[in-house]
Amino acid sequence: AQKVTQAQTEISVVEKEDVTLDCVYETRDTTYYLFWYKQPPSGELVFLIRRNSFDEQNEISGRYSWNFQKSTSSFNFTITASQVVDSAVYFCALSEARSNDMRFGAGTRLTVKP
Amino acid sequence: KAGVTQTPRYLIKTRGQQVTLSCSPISGHRSVSWYQQTPGQGLQFLFEYFSETQRNKGNFPGRFSGRQFSNSRSEMNVSTLELGDSALYLCASSLWTAYTGELFFGEGSRLTVL
C-alpha cells in the first residue's frame, strides 16, 4: 500500500532562514504522482506542486524549490528566505495509478517567527 | 472564478444523529472528493465522485456515504454519529480526476459530535 512519511512534526525558524521539509514515500506502482499542499490557518489546502514518477527534474518557483529523488524515494521541499506568511501546515501526498486515490502524510507545521 | 464552497462551516451534533454536508465545486470541475481530517489520523480519503458516480472509496464504514448531482455538486452523509466522527471534513474538486489533477479544496465543514 502507498505510504507517505513526514518525519518532522513541527519546525520553527526565524524569518529569512532557509528551511527544508522532508517527505519520504513508499509505493509499488511505477506510475504515481507526488504533491505538496499548504494548509494555512483558514483550513483550505492550497496546491503547491505536482510531480509524476517519470519526471525527476527539480523545480524552483520563487522562494520555493523541490527535490525529487526516486533513488531515495524522497520529495523534499525547501523554502528559501522564509517569511512569516509561510507559517502553515505543509502536506506531502502521493497518488498511484492503481489505487486512484491520494494519500497524505501527517503534515509538518512550520512556524516562521519575525 | 469562485472557489470550492462548503456548507455548513461549523455544526454541532449529538451521538446517534445524522449529518449532511454540502460541497459546490469550481464551475466546470467534474470530480469531487472528500477527506476527513483529525488530529489523530490526519487527512484520510473518504470517496471520490465523477459524473454522479462514485469512482473510489476509502476505508470508512458504511455510515459514511455520498452522492453527486448532475451539476457536480456533492453531498456527504454520516449516519448514527459517533464521538470519533468529530473532524474537519474537506471537499476538493478537480477537472477530471483526483488522482492526477491539482485539487482545489474548500475551507471545510467542522463537525463536533457531543
Side-chain angles (χ1 to χ4, degrees):
Chain A
Q2 71 212 91
K3 184 179 174 182
V4 179
T5 302
Q6 294 180 256
Q8 304 150 308
T9 306
E10 294 192 35
I11 300 176
S12 181
V13 300
V14 176
E15 209 169 17
K16 297 184 183 174
E17 282 186 30
D18 298 346
V19 59
T20 295
L21 310 181
D22 297 333
C23 173
V24 174
Y25 63 93
E26 291 177 32
T27 177
R28 283 181 283 186
D29 213 333
T30 55
T31 303
Y32 54 89
Y33 285 82
L34 292 163
F35 304 81
W36 275 95
Y37 282 85
K38 173 183 179 180
Q39 186 177 38
S42 55
E44 84 282 14
L45 277 79
V46 178
F47 169 85
L48 294 177
I49 190 171
R50 175 186 62 194
R51 263 285 173 271
N52 72 53
S53 51
F54 303 107
D55 181 5
E56 282 192 77
Q57 188 174 6
N58 292 327
E59 181 156 338
I60 298 175
S61 176
R63 297 184 296 108
Y64 295 172
S65 62
W66 291 269
N67 184 306
F68 176 25
Q69 292 194 332
K70 288 177 75 171
S71 61
T72 55
S73 296
S74 65
F75 186 42
N76 297 336
F77 173 30
T78 297
I79 301 175
T80 303
S82 60
Q83 299 176 1
V84 173
V85 293
D86 295 328
S87 296
V89 181
Y90 290 87
F91 292 92
C92 180
L94 164 70
S95 62
E96 296 173 325
R98 105 175 89 181
S99 63
N100 200 34
D101 67 16
M102 189 174 294
R103 300 295 175 97
F104 286 83
T108 297
R109 180 177 298 279
L110 173 66
T111 301
V112 181
K113 299 177 181 176
Chain B
K1 56 185 176 183
V4 177
T5 304
Q6 291 188 246
T7 57
R9 290 292 314 282
Y10 302 91
L11 65 168
I12 300 174
K13 294 284 187 178
T14 56
R15 277 183 299 174
Q17 287 186 311
Q18 74 164 16
V19 66
T20 298
L21 308 178
S22 179
C23 172
S24 293
I26 290 173
S27 178
H29 284 194
R30 297 172 64 185
S31 166
V32 174
S33 48
W34 289 88
Y35 292 83
Q36 182 197 63
Q37 185 176 23
T38 60
Q41 299 297 318
L43 271 161
Q44 294 187 90
F45 171 75
L46 281 157
F47 26 64
E48 182 197 2
Y49 287 87
F50 182 86
S51 292
E52 302 178 66
T53 301
Q54 186 181 86
R55 188 151 62 177
N56 200 6
K57 190 178 193 304
N59 190 24
F60 278 82
R63 300 185 297 107
F64 291 81
S65 63
R67 58 178 175 169
Q68 186 180 32
F69 303 95
S70 58
N71 62 358
S72 293
R73 190 177 71 85
S74 176
E75 288 181 348
M76 68 162 282
N77 184 276
V78 188
S79 62
T80 319
L81 284 166
E82 300 177 359
L83 295 179
D85 297 332
S86 295
L88 179 67
Y89 290 88
L90 290 162
C91 166
S93 76
S94 60
L95 269 174
W96 294 109
T97 169
Y99 152 61
T100 60
E102 170 186 350
L103 296 181
F104 294 82
F105 282 83
E107 292 183 310
S109 293
R110 186 167 294 281
L111 170 65
T112 301
V113 182
L114 302 176

